[in-house]
Amino acid sequence: MFTGIVEEIGTVVAVRPLGDSASLRIRGDVVAADAGHGDSIAVNGVCLTVTDPTGANGGEFSVDVMGETLQRTSLARLAPGAPVNLERALPAHGRLGGHVVQGHVDGVGHLVDRQAGERWDSVRFSVPYDLARYVAEKGSVTVDGVSLTVVGVSPPDEQDAWFTVGLIPTTLQATTLGRLAVGDPVNLEVDVLAKYVKKHLERM
């Protein structure tokens, strides 16, 4: 599992198509420093397995992305030079600084609006209608691997569902969210606790 606290902004070095899948080579000095074969690293919020850590000394590692992931996330849009949010899996003795993040993306949203403030930005993202029920005001949501607190949500009956978050200077500088433009896609993961609550209520 992850926490949604991005450790660094990495860079896609190479993209190699493999039929219905792809292999990504990524540079990230921090996360590659102790990367081993089979380790989990979240790339823009997607949990991926390290397949080739041989370039770890040079700050690089490789991961495979299967077709299902390419279809359900924004990773298919990545090209060499693209910045990505990186986070290693949480160690057993680590601190849960954000919230419980699985790295299992639930859907893709888009940046709808950004209002710059003096010290922070108010940002609105679209969310697939079937996921909107899991997003609650003052709850947690993961956007491209970043743990955020929801500031506002669309009305329950609004088909064009959305939510807003506030991005502090640290988030703007230390993650890719500060570079997003209106229309850019983002990977969304809703709070896993909300999904289990819904499942439980459906069985009652």
Side-chain angles (χ1 to χ4, degrees), residues 1-203:
M1 59 169 271
F2 305 91
T3 70
I5 304 299
V6 172
E7 295 185 85
E8 66 176 324
I9 298 177
T11 304
V12 176
V13 175
V15 178
R16 183 163 62 97
L18 299 171
D20 64 348
S21 62
S23 176
L24 304 179
R25 189 73 172 172
I26 299 172
R27 173 174 292 278
D29 293 334
V30 174
V31 301
D34 60 354
H37 188 276
D39 286 352
S40 295
I41 295 178
V43 179
N44 276 358
V46 183
C47 178
L48 299 175
T49 302
V50 175
T51 57
D52 181 10
T54 56
N57 292 334
E60 297 182 3
F61 62 95
S62 294
V63 292
D64 286 342
V65 187
M66 64 180 183
E68 174 78 3
T69 304
L70 292 173
Q71 293 174 11
R72 290 181 173 268
T73 74
S74 65
L75 296 190
R77 294 170 52 96
L78 293 179
V84 287
N85 294 321
L86 301 176
E87 181 191 356
R88 290 169 290 187
L90 178 69
H93 62 280
R95 294 187 178 186
L96 188 59
H99 71 284
V100 176
V101 176
Q102 295 181 295
H104 302 162
V105 171
D106 294 301
V108 175
H110 293 82
L111 176 61
V112 175
D113 182 62
R114 179 193 292 273
Q115 299 294 326
E118 184 177 346
R119 291 277 297 162
W120 56 279
D121 286 3
S122 176
V123 182
R124 177 178 294 195
F125 293 100
S126 66
V127 58
Y129 183 75
D130 60 337
L131 289 182
R133 71 188 72 181
Y134 301 105
V135 183
E137 186 173 327
K138 305 307 178 185
S140 296
V141 66
T142 309
V143 179
D144 269 355
V146 183
S147 172
L148 298 170
T149 300
V150 177
V151 174
V153 297
S154 56
D157 57 347
E158 188 167 330
Q159 291 296 317
D160 294 327
W162 51 265
F163 66 89
T164 58
V165 294
L167 304 181
I168 62 174
T170 297
T171 304
L172 293 170
Q173 296 168 9
T175 76
T176 62
L177 300 190
R179 311 180 187 189
L180 292 177
V182 171
D184 283 346
V186 291
N187 294 319
L188 302 176
E189 181 184 333
V190 298
D191 193 340
V192 64
L193 297 179
K195 288 189 283 188
Y196 277 119
V197 168
K198 176 179 178 294
K199 190 69 174 179
H200 176 69
L201 291 176
E202 287 176 343
R203 292 178 175 177

